[in-house]
Amino acid sequence: MKTIEATNFIEQIINEDIENGKIEAVQTRFPPEPNGYLHIGHIKSMLVNFGTAKKYGGKCNLFFDDTNPSKEKTEFVDAIRRDIQWVGYEWEKEVYASDFFETIYEYAEKLITDGKAFVCDLSPEEISATRGTLTEEGKESPYRNRSVAENLQLFREMRAGKYADGRKCLRAKIDMSSPNMNMRDPVIYRILRCTHHRTGDTWCIYPMYDYAHPICDYLQGVTHSLCTLEFEDHRPLYDWVGIQLGFAPKPRQIEFARLAVTNTVMSKRYLKKLVEEGHVHGWDDPRMPTVAGLRNRGVPPEALLDFCTKIGIVKANSECQLSYLEACIRDNLNENAERAMAVLEPLKVTITNYDGEEMLETAIHPLKPELGTREIAFSGTVYIDRADFSLDPPPKYQRLKEGGYVRLKNAYIIQCDEVVKDENGEVVELKCSYLPNSRSSNDTSGVKVKGTIQWVDAKTGVDAEIRRYSYLLKDAEYAGQDFGERMNLDSEHIFHGKAEPYLAESDDGKQFQLMRVGYYKKCQSENGGLVLSEIVSLKDNFNK
Ligand code: ATP
Ligand code: MG
């Protein structure tokens, strides 16, 4: 196997392992626990695990870390599989920690036989009370020196269901005075009566993550076990297990920085709370940073991988700006999304000197002339956005004002002649005239206007529910506060707008740039009406 040109420290390590003849092929695994939905942080982990293996022509398994049956469900397994496929990765094998429960158990008996593990009768509270602190050594368990024969018998009785939950556990016999708390005789098996989503009630003892993980890696032939930095302190235990059990070649654990993004909750525990307390519509709510939420929002997976690639794989934790993620999404959609027109808050414009109807040509994608054009109906009445008209314009106002001119995108220049108000003084209609020789494709009017605005033809336009989003979490000034206090309770804004019929006729899920409004996904409401759901805002308007 050949080395590659390293782009990060993990690839440098792998290159060295190849040069030193330590490995023959790269094998990694993506190791989610099926206790919730994947989020954008997991996409970084996918990029690291699947992406690295792919670069070396190696393999990556999907490994479900299902050692904690009280929190795990088949629903989550299914969601995780679907999400990885959507991101675009293929796993070599689908493996579960529970596939190996019998072998993991046998290895525990081996540790006992070798005098490296003992059954402890201390309660979980007593164990944590005798663990010591960072500055103080722990205290050895009074059960630490049981004989091998007694330990084996008790451990077999634990498996057979003789003891109540929590009454005994199996602990590794390492070093209660180790400066690393994880090495102070850690618990490696506990008694827990809980139906497992795959093994049912076969087991009433379950291995702990730190003990099971190195075994599962080894049994899969993992060469590099790539995980996030919080596992750095667990590496000595990972290595200890491998050494005691004589693993050769022993998988190598390498840690990288977690992805953290401003204004974004990334912990499954808290995402779950958002769902359960009804702050969002579900795991796939478009405001959620879950893979399901991002998919539902209309974000292309390529944009997410692009983002994770650009922020890079490094060893030091840091927080990334959400605006950077948005820029990656925008770049992708600017390139790929068709253009169309809609208005959020319709204001009727009657063009008094226009008679009849016509079809106007418009580019499907202004950056891709090869995609050609389509036609938009134009009649004497259109809707513009309320925000594009001002009764009391500031100096240099470029949109529509009384007596002023503006260009309707891809159509004509109009002038506002009269403002119609209702009894409350609210503007309800504009009476305008158009310049007949000002058509965008053939403008001989000689009139130069600075502003161009989008519009929707009143005769053919359709009603659209337009959904706009702001962040679920308030800004960094609230950082450090509990997520509950940082919640933005007003993050979904619904407008009853108008859209061109092309949008209603297009495929569900298709992304568009609604000109001057933002990037939106076309979808449908329960009663079949057109819904346009925001993916990301536009950075630039035509008139800045
Ligand atoms: P959470 O803390 O959100 O529950 P987790 O770490 O418990 O996440 P796992 O299912 O255990 O989720 O994670 C699977 C893999 O994804 C692990 O290797 C983990 O290190 C990695 N991972 C989780 N969150 C991130 C993140 N924010 N950035 C990069 N990798 C992550
Ligand atoms: Mg975890």
Side-chain angles (χ1 to χ4, degrees):
M1 187 188 26
K2 282 210 257 356
T3 57
I4 61 169
E5 196 180 324
T7 59
N8 60 52
F9 76 99
I10 294 178
E11 292 169 3
Q12 273 165 9
I13 294 174
I14 296 178
N15 279 348
E16 283 163 22
D17 286 350
I18 293 171
E19 278 161 5
N20 298 331
K22 281 194 188 159
I23 57 162
E24 272 154 26
V26 172
Q27 171 76 57
T28 59
R29 84 286 172 267
F30 173 61
E33 180 179 357
N35 64 350
Y37 283 67
L38 298 182
H39 51 64
I40 181 167
H42 291 113
I43 296 183
K44 177 169 179 185
S45 179
M46 282 185 227
L47 180 79
V48 176
N49 283 295
F50 287 105
T52 305
K54 203 167 172 180
K55 277 195 184 174
Y56 284 92
K59 292 169 182 165
C60 179
N61 290 345
L62 168 55
F63 172 68
F64 286 105
D65 165 32
D66 58 350
T67 52
N68 190 3
S70 60
K71 301 218 172 88
E72 297 157 3
K73 283 200 246 168
T74 306
E75 173 201 345
F76 298 134
V77 169
D78 295 341
I80 289 170
R81 302 173 88 245
R82 189 167 61 234
D83 287 350
I84 300 170
Q85 282 165 338
W86 177 74
V87 172
Y89 284 118
E90 279 172 40
W91 51 90
E92 181 67 18
K93 290 187 193 138
E94 183 173 326
V95 185
Y96 295 76
S98 53
D99 294 341
F100 302 127
F101 277 174
E102 190 61 44
T103 312
I104 295 171
Y105 173 86
E106 282 161 19
Y107 276 129
E109 287 209 353
K110 175 172 160 53
L111 287 181
I112 293 172
T113 309
D114 293 347
K116 299 291 180 185
F118 64 98
V119 172
C120 183
D121 296 4
L122 295 180
S123 68
E125 297 72 34
E126 287 167 326
I127 290 176
S128 73
T130 50
R131 246 181 121 209
T133 63
L134 286 176
T135 52
E136 217 180 296
E137 293 183 0
K139 254 180 43 206
E140 290 189 354
S141 162
Y143 305 98
R144 199 173 198 262
N145 296 314
R146 277 176 162 151
S147 69
V148 167
E150 187 185 1
N151 278 321
L152 261 185
Q153 184 191 340
L154 292 172
F155 188 49
R156 287 174 184 164
E157 288 172 356
M158 279 169 60
R159 176 179 183 168
K162 189 162 175 194
Y163 306 107
D165 290 9
R167 290 302 291 274
K168 288 191 181 354
C169 64
L170 186 71
R171 294 175 73 177
K173 196 190 272 191
I174 311 180
D175 179 7
M176 288 307 286
S177 61
S178 170
N180 184 330
M181 303 279 282
N182 296 308
M183 299 298 272
R184 295 184 185 172
D185 293 3
V187 174
I188 60 175
Y189 259 95
R190 56 183 174 151
I191 305 175
L192 178 70
R193 281 168 182 82
C194 182
T195 305
H196 187 281
H197 67 105
R198 295 184 78 239
T199 58
D201 295 317
T202 307
W203 294 89
C204 64
I205 57 171
Y206 290 97
M208 303 302 287
Y209 173 87
D210 277 343
Y211 164 67
H213 204 79
I215 297 175
C216 294
D217 278 347
Y218 173 70
L219 296 173
Q220 293 174 77
V222 167
T223 53
H224 297 87
S225 182
L226 311 175
C227 60
T228 37
L229 274 178
E230 71 272 21
F231 293 103
E232 196 170 17
D233 284 349
H234 298 241
R235 185 170 7 114
L237 181 52
Y238 184 95
D239 288 340
W240 184 90
V241 172
I243 291 165
Q244 300 312 317
L245 297 175
F247 293 166
K250 198 173 70 55
R252 178 167 185 174
Q253 175 176 309
I254 308 171
E255 308 86 15
F256 60 92
R258 279 180 97 79
L259 174 67
V261 182
T262 55
N263 303 82
T264 308
V265 197
M266 205 84 88
S267 119
K268 269 188 233 157
R269 190 177 58 86
Y270 196 73
L271 292 173
K272 200 164 168 203
K273 202 168 135 154
L274 290 177
V275 174
E276 283 169 0
E277 291 180 6
H279 296 298
V280 293
H281 303 303
W283 283 101
D284 67 347
D285 185 296
R287 291 164 293 175
M288 291 280 273
T290 50
V291 176
L294 291 158
R295 173 174 58 230
N296 192 20
R297 187 151 180 157
V299 174
E302 295 79 12
L304 297 169
L305 287 171
D306 179 41
F307 167 70
C308 290
T309 305
K310 283 180 176 152
I311 56 175
I313 298 161
V314 295
K315 189 90 198 174
N317 278 323
S318 65
E319 195 177 38
C320 180
Q321 295 294 320
L322 184 49
S323 57
Y324 189 58
L325 168 61
E326 291 177 341
C328 292
I329 299 171
R330 214 176 268 129
D331 281 351
N332 180 294
L333 293 174
N334 182 43
E335 178 81 19
N336 297 311
E338 281 187 26
R339 274 42 173 183
M341 293 197 287
V343 296
L344 291 175
E345 294 181 286
L347 175 60
K348 188 175 173 188
V349 170
T350 307
I351 302 167
T352 50
N353 61 340
Y354 186 92
D355 223 7
E357 286 169 31
E358 66 185 299
M359 298 303 283
L360 301 172
E361 238 184 349
T362 178
I364 285 177
H365 195 306
L367 305 176
K368 296 182 178 173
E370 67 277 13
L371 293 181
T373 58
R374 63 184 178 84
E375 293 194 316
I376 307 182
F378 182 81
S379 62
T381 312
V382 300
Y383 294 108
I384 65 167
D385 208 293
R386 242 166 222 288
D388 287 331
F389 173 77
S390 177
L391 266 182
D392 183 20
K396 298 198 182 155
Y397 187 72
Q398 294 183 354
R399 291 165 283 164
L400 200 55
K401 57 187 176 190
E402 231 175 328
Y405 290 94
V406 80
R407 170 173 294 284
L408 297 178
K409 178 76 183 163
N410 283 324
Y412 297 95
I413 296 173
I414 58 168
Q415 181 176 27
C416 177
D417 304 318
E418 189 191 336
V419 179
V420 184
K421 297 179 188 169
D422 65 10
E423 60 272 24
N424 302 319
E426 207 191 320
V427 178
V428 289
E429 185 187 346
L430 303 176
K431 294 208 185 288
C432 297
S433 47
Y434 85 117
L435 306 182
N437 49 359
S438 69
R439 220 172 90 174
S440 290
S441 50
N442 183 25
D443 180 3
T444 57
S445 68
V447 176
K448 290 276 163 274
V449 295
K450 289 227 171 87
T452 300
I453 62 175
Q454 84 279 20
W455 52 277
V456 171
D457 179 52
K459 199 160 169 192
T460 54
V462 295
D463 290 333
E465 178 182 320
I466 303 178
R467 299 178 184 159
R468 251 192 175 172
Y469 304 110
S470 44
Y471 302 150
L472 273 177
L473 276 197
K474 292 186 216 161
D475 275 341
E477 59 192 277
Y478 300 91
Q481 288 184 8
D482 181 72
F483 283 135
E485 295 168 66
R486 290 183 63 191
M487 270 296 298
N488 174 10
L489 294 174
D490 186 28
S491 54
E492 183 182 59
H493 310 275
I494 307 237
F495 295 85
H496 298 284
K498 292 279 182 186
E500 47 170 315
Y502 184 68
L503 286 162
E505 289 152 14
S506 65
D507 291 341
D508 266 4
K510 186 166 170 175
Q511 296 108 329
F512 287 92
Q513 185 196 96
L514 300 181
M515 291 192 279
R516 298 185 65 246
V517 178
Y519 292 97
Y520 281 71
K521 186 185 93 163
K522 186 253 159 153
C523 35
Q524 272 177 19
S525 67
E526 272 125 50
N527 54 26
L530 173 63
V531 174
L532 298 165
S533 171
E534 184 180 29
I535 305 169
V536 67
S537 64
L538 266 189
K539 194 164 62 181
D540 300 301
N541 287 347
F542 295 149
N543 314 290
K544 245 194 164 158

